[in-house]
Amino acid sequence: MPQNKGPFYMTTAIAYTSGKPHIGNTYEIVLADSIARFRRQEGYDVFFQTGTDEHGQKIELKAEEAGITPKEFVDNVSTEIKRIWDLMDTSYDKFIRTTDDYHEKQVQKIFKKLYDQGDIYKGSYEGMYCTPCESFWTESQLVDGKCPDCGREVKPAKEEAYFFKMSKYANRLIEHINTHPEFIQPVSRKNEMMNNFLLPGLQDLCVSRTSFKWGIPVDFDDKHVVYVWLDALTNYITGIGYDADGNSSEQYKKFWPADLHLIGKDIIRFHTIYWPIFLMALGEPLPKQVFGHPWLLQNDGKMSKSKGNVIYADDLVDMFGVDAVRYFVLHEMPFENDGVISWELIVERMNSDLANTLGNLVNRTIAMSNKYFGGVVNKTGVTSEGAGVDENGASLDFDADLKAVVTGTRDKVQNKMATLHVADAMTDVFALFKRCNKYIDETMPWALAKDESKKERLEEVLYNLVESITIGANLLKAFMPNTTDSILKQLYPDNPAAGDRDFDDLDKFGLRESGNKVTDKPEILFARLDIEEVMKKVEELQEAQRKANGVPEYPVVEKKPEITFDDFEKIQIQVGEVLKCEPVKKAKKLLCSQIRIGEEVRQIVSGISQYYKPEEMVGKKVAVVTNLAPRKICGVESQGMILAAMDDKNNLSVMTVDKDIIAGSEIG
């Protein structure tokens, strides 16, 4: 076992119980799990906490709409969230709920302590309130009159409330951030907090409400409930045994301060300004690091229940399997910028990275071991050492090169994980598997098998492959634990634990004992998928989702103000014949068409490349708005607009004429 490196406490943001989490919400728990598993592998004593945030006005309203009590509502949603977290094979040590009795009692104690020491005072609030975000805003903070966080409508609100004196601790927090550059990551998030909130000056924070009841009561003033952020944020300490009376548990003393709070970038302000200030007021150490991860976005626009295109983790798992989904969300998310998810991209990664690079490598290696040596893997010492170089000067010592890549991967992965570059760490692991595939091409085992004198060399080649895959599988464990188990069971069928290496040994080559067999019944790790078959299932899934959400069969179109015939006469629509069409460089969605309209040829840019290939447009006679003022789109001038229709299912069709009408004819 690796040497014990001490305690490591990490948390996710607790999921809000307003509804079933989509894949963007689920990404965070999988990311956190990969970090927790890796730290355990390194030798840390990890405590990994997650859970659900269950109070607030939005919950109260949703419960009322559902005709049940708020507690019944959050019980149902919290159970569903936990089911998804468990489905994704996440190894959390504690799942906290903010309706847990011990948490509620500690929040009341914390509130009273802060009140008694003068950090909380009673006043009244008047401002703009965003119910979805549970946030008050001043007029100056609004963006286009809407909530600066979520972009939704806000309403005037006025009520008696308790406030926390944020400004009292602002300078101390600024000093901490300046002297602890690792505290807020990535750096861009730190700059945002400093420049937009701390340096301009903090306003006192509303920490109680009277306009709804679904919250933790202020025990010395029962008209008030504790405002959601003071309630929710304190879970990070109450969950491990903090006690405001000074009787905190041994577990709390062992694990606090947290090593890592992993949260979405949208709530970075609450975790890097409000939370550390609360802790300062309580006299507790600040967490060592807060990482605001980017978002996982859908490539064809915002997820919407009305479109039926919300992607849920359990649907993905049904189609691809747990580890394939874990691979995708971890590998496709950059360190700082938002990632993109689509069904098509998942299939592409499934087929290329998982089925081909990894699955085919394991299957070929096992198959060759069985075919040539009855599954027995032996180390013979007949290497490619001294093979010289080829005509291009490249080394022909394939064994040495393979071993250098394999034994050097652990440290590369460890360095990336130390800075939370998880996607890059996974890329390094798959670079190892790609090097193994290249090694097969270089050594050509099928050719060695034809020459009896090279039998021992063939054995060495297969030994090197099995040993390399073993090390790679162990490095994959934090990201795809089930896949690691499956690989080791096939490479070490008599004793899978023999392939389970200590982290400290993952830079050593040759630990597998000679004479052990691989399985004689290899299993396919990942099957290749047909994109058309997958998309048929996706359409069925989305249709079921629309029906479940009560979406009408026909599109609901917002009615525009009535216009007169004279208004309509101002629009000129003509038949245009597409002569040429090509993609717009550096623009994924745009096509640029040359369209004949009477005697002239117009250039028109349209966002239709997801629905039409350029060659499909050529020859079509389309409806074109021809008296629209020209404009530049991605640097290309567009001299009109092709008319098209789109339904709620994201189907798009350009408007064409059904007879051979001369280009330039007016449509009216």
Side-chain angles (χ1 to χ4, degrees), residues 261-332:
H261 287 321
L262 188 70
I263 59 165
K265 64 179 182 178
D266 53 325
I267 53 174
I268 192 82
R269 173 165 52 98
F270 306 104
H271 285 78
T272 58
I273 297 178
Y274 301 164
W275 178 227
I277 284 179
F278 292 158
L279 287 166
M280 287 176 178
L282 291 171
E284 298 298 317
L286 303 197
K288 297 174 186 176
Q289 188 171 80
V290 180
F291 180 79
H293 65 74
W295 289 340
L296 186 62
L297 304 175
Q298 193 150 318
N299 75 332
D300 57 353
K302 190 175 181 180
M303 294 186 195
S304 162
K305 289 183 178 179
S306 64
K307 289 182 178 180
N309 69 344
V310 181
I311 300 177
Y312 295 108
D314 49 356
D315 292 330
L316 290 170
V317 169
D318 286 344
M319 204 161 313
F320 305 110
V322 173
D323 272 16
V325 178
R326 286 177 63 102
Y327 174 79
F328 184 86
V329 298
L330 292 173
H331 186 265
E332 294 304 308

Side-chain angles (χ1 to χ4, degrees), residues 108-124:
Q108 289 177 322
K109 287 184 181 181
I110 289 168
F111 195 98
K112 183 69 162 58
K113 179 177 181 176
L114 297 176
Y115 177 77
D116 288 345
Q117 66 190 36
D119 288 314
I120 288 178
Y121 65 92
K122 195 173 188 177
S124 62

